[in-house]
Amino acid sequence: MDKVDIKPNEVAVYALGGLGEIGKNTYGIEYQDEIIIVDAGIKFPEDSLLGIDYVIPDYSYLVENIDKVKGLVITHGHEDHIGAIAYFLQAVNVPVYAGPLAMALIRNKLEEKQMLNRVELHEITDGSVVDFGKTSAEFFRTTHSIPDVFGIAIKTPVGTIVETGDFKFDLTPTTKQKPNLWSMARIGEEGVLLLMSDSTNAERPEWTKSEAWVQKTVDKLFKQLKHGRIIFATFASNMNRIKMATDAAIANGRKIAVFGRSMESAITNGRALGYLDIPEDALIEQSQIKNIPDDELLIMSTGSQGESMAALARIANGTHKQVRLKPKDNVIFSSSPIPGNTASVNAVINKLEEGGANVIHGKLNNIHTSGHGGQEEQKLMLSLMKPKYFMPVHGEFRMLKVHAGLAEELDIPKENTFIQENGDVLAFDGVNEPRLAGHFPAEDTYIDGSGIGDIGSVVLHDRLKLSQDGLVIVTATIDLKKKEILSGPDILSRGFVYMRESGDLINDGRHVIFNTIRKVMSQKTPSESDIRQAIIDDLSKYLHKETARKPMILPMLIMV
């Protein structure tokens, strides 16, 4: 690990994830023997990460400093902020502080991992202050696409560090939880040393539309769509959209059936917390949908991001056990594809259209608005907080750069803005200019099934190669002492060529391997590894010459 040198009179700020990327938000504020962590998010894998479920940060630095870590404070309940919490707490088991909805979602995650009884959980609300000793955390309400969203002001002897979390300034939120402008202005007046602010929509020169604008569209659609079922797909964590759809269904006399485990959990939590007003008789069991007329039914579904195993994709593919697509179905996508998901979302839409459904999606239909503020809201946050220093977070590099430019427009000197990378440690003493106090490894950790971090670049390279050109297995039995080939060589193709139609290629390949083995065994002291490598080299050249493809070659030799 690179040396990290934080002096006793300094407060240090760093990211384990969330800089130069969308997702994996995890930030640290460190003063002397206290480290406060903000959020524990995941990142969804890109197309090249074959078989990877999701990506989390490397927690090695925190594990090495585990005695200093005093708590995990949560801004809100989206996956890119709480999705890795079970893995985080397995590495660093510290008290967790979160709002009501985020806490309900966290409890669900910990219960699934059988960790609930081993973790200390504390529910907070707007204005809550958590004292850690030398530092404290104050929560102030913001707005996003989910209830119970907070920015967090970490107060240290050196100065106040503010992490906004995801935010926009929605003055007509469907949850009635308005942003606490007074608290933001007060914190700004008291003095902010560093502002760490959401950069997701930094490239959009706009004020993001309110959720109330989407609600009008949803209400209008439910009144217009009088014939056929309505299948409403959105993020299970987007309580605002769930409320819009269920309220509109009830107002138009539709029963509600829920599909997808995360959607079921969201509606259970939303009703328990009072965010959803759904009478018991409005909800029906999945098995009852066949007894309800199509024009009296709303199906709430997961899968708005085209996930192959989610309810909506299985409905589109005809593999869902309870729901069969009908020509008069109306499918509403109330979300936009996150980076990397556009192709899978389009594939599901195409399947639904092919099945005769009326699919409503995209910006033109006014059924989605971002949960992140545009440039005007980012400038308002900067103006309210009036920070001495600024560090854009939550975004890819180009977004961070644009956000830094907005700060400069608001008279924050360019030299006072820092575009950092994950693992960079920025230290402040409150008197002198901030300095880079070292760097610690902050590479991605891949989650594949139950495996944590056991999939590296070599495995991913192999998976990519297999997905593109397939696999060729070579078998042979060899007597190394007598330098004889006892059986084979034989070739087996998987995902490379159809063997019944490629007899000449396979036979010629066998001859290449036979000659290769004979050539290696003519040496004085041939070894098994020499034969394996020669087979890979020679067969690869031959197959590439004949097919312009390079399958993975796996020699399976029996040595006697």
Side-chain angles (χ1 to χ4, degrees), residues 478-496:
I478 299 170
D479 187 330
L480 205 55
K481 288 184 179 179
K482 294 182 179 180
K483 298 185 178 182
E484 293 180 0
I485 301 173
L486 302 181
S487 68
D490 293 312
I491 291 177
L492 183 66
S493 168
R494 288 292 181 266
F496 172 55

Side-chain angles (χ1 to χ4, degrees), residues 192-246:
V192 173
L193 177 66
L194 175 71
L195 174 65
M196 304 163 68
S197 186
D198 175 16
S199 305
T200 309
N201 278 354
E203 296 173 299
R204 299 186 183 181
E206 63 185 15
W207 188 290
T208 301
K209 287 184 170 62
S210 168
E211 287 291 325
W213 174 76
V214 180
Q215 184 170 14
K216 291 178 182 178
T217 302
V218 172
D219 291 343
K220 183 179 177 182
L221 282 171
F222 272 71
K223 289 176 183 177
Q224 291 176 341
L225 300 173
K226 297 184 181 297
H227 304 291
R229 302 179 300 186
I230 295 177
I231 302 174
F232 195 94
T234 190
F235 284 110
S237 60
N238 194 333
M239 198 65 67
N240 291 339
R241 304 297 165 75
I242 295 173
K243 177 175 173 56
M244 291 176 199
T246 54

Side-chain angles (χ1 to χ4, degrees), residues 203-416:
E203 296 173 299
R204 299 186 183 181
E206 63 185 15
W207 188 290
T208 301
K209 287 184 170 62
S210 168
E211 287 291 325
W213 174 76
V214 180
Q215 184 170 14
K216 291 178 182 178
T217 302
V218 172
D219 291 343
K220 183 179 177 182
L221 282 171
F222 272 71
K223 289 176 183 177
Q224 291 176 341
L225 300 173
K226 297 184 181 297
H227 304 291
R229 302 179 300 186
I230 295 177
I231 302 174
F232 195 94
T234 190
F235 284 110
S237 60
N238 194 333
M239 198 65 67
N240 291 339
R241 304 297 165 75
I242 295 173
K243 177 175 173 56
M244 291 176 199
T246 54
D247 285 354
I250 293 166
N252 288 275
R254 288 182 181 262
K255 298 293 185 181
I256 303 164
V258 185
F259 289 87
R261 189 173 63 174
S262 58
M263 185 65 74
E264 291 173 8
S265 177
I267 287 181
T268 299
N269 288 330
R271 293 179 74 204
L273 294 169
Y275 299 129
L276 301 177
D277 185 15
I278 306 175
E280 195 65 39
D281 61 0
L283 287 168
I284 64 170
E285 296 293 331
Q286 296 175 357
S287 59
Q288 292 179 292
I289 64 171
K290 59 182 178 295
N291 303 324
I292 305 296
D294 289 352
D295 56 359
E296 296 178 14
L297 180 63
L298 165 68
I299 294 175
M300 293 296 303
S301 172
T302 55
S304 65
Q305 294 301 303
E307 305 97 313
S308 61
M309 296 306 294
L312 189 60
R314 289 187 283 123
I315 292 170
N317 293 325
T319 58
H320 199 283
K321 291 181 179 179
Q322 286 104 350
V323 185
R324 289 287 181 268
L325 195 66
K326 298 182 179 181
K328 290 186 179 181
D329 281 343
N330 303 283
V331 183
I332 299 174
F333 279 76
S334 190
S335 64
S336 61
I338 62 176
N341 286 357
T342 302
S344 55
V345 171
N346 288 339
V348 171
I349 291 174
N350 286 332
K351 279 285 185 184
L352 291 167
E353 294 276 11
E354 289 171 10
N358 171 33
V359 183
I360 302 165
H361 66 99
K363 294 180 180 178
L364 295 177
N365 290 297
N366 298 337
I367 52 171
H368 178 67
T369 185
S370 176
H372 303 268
Q375 290 184 358
E376 298 307 310
E377 288 144 291
Q378 290 170 348
K379 288 190 283 188
L380 177 57
M381 181 64 79
L382 283 158
S383 298
L384 287 169
M385 291 296 172
K386 299 185 289 189
K388 182 175 182 181
Y389 299 103
F390 177 56
M391 179 177 163
V393 295
H394 301 219
E396 296 175 359
F397 180 82
R398 68 183 190 281
M399 302 167 186
L400 305 181
K401 188 175 180 180
V402 172
H403 203 175
L406 297 178
E408 193 174 355
E409 289 179 20
L410 294 175
D411 299 324
I412 295 177
K414 187 175 183 179
E415 60 270 20
N416 284 15

Side-chain angles (χ1 to χ4, degrees), residues 48-81:
S48 60
L49 298 178
L50 299 172
I52 300 301
D53 296 321
Y54 32 81
V55 185
I56 66 174
D58 179 352
Y59 300 125
S60 299
Y61 179 78
L62 299 182
V63 172
E64 292 192 5
N65 292 276
I66 193 166
D67 292 338
K68 294 183 179 181
V69 185
K70 302 304 178 185
L72 171 64
V73 293
I74 300 296
T75 60
H76 67 285
H78 276 152
E79 288 295 287
D80 57 334
H81 294 260

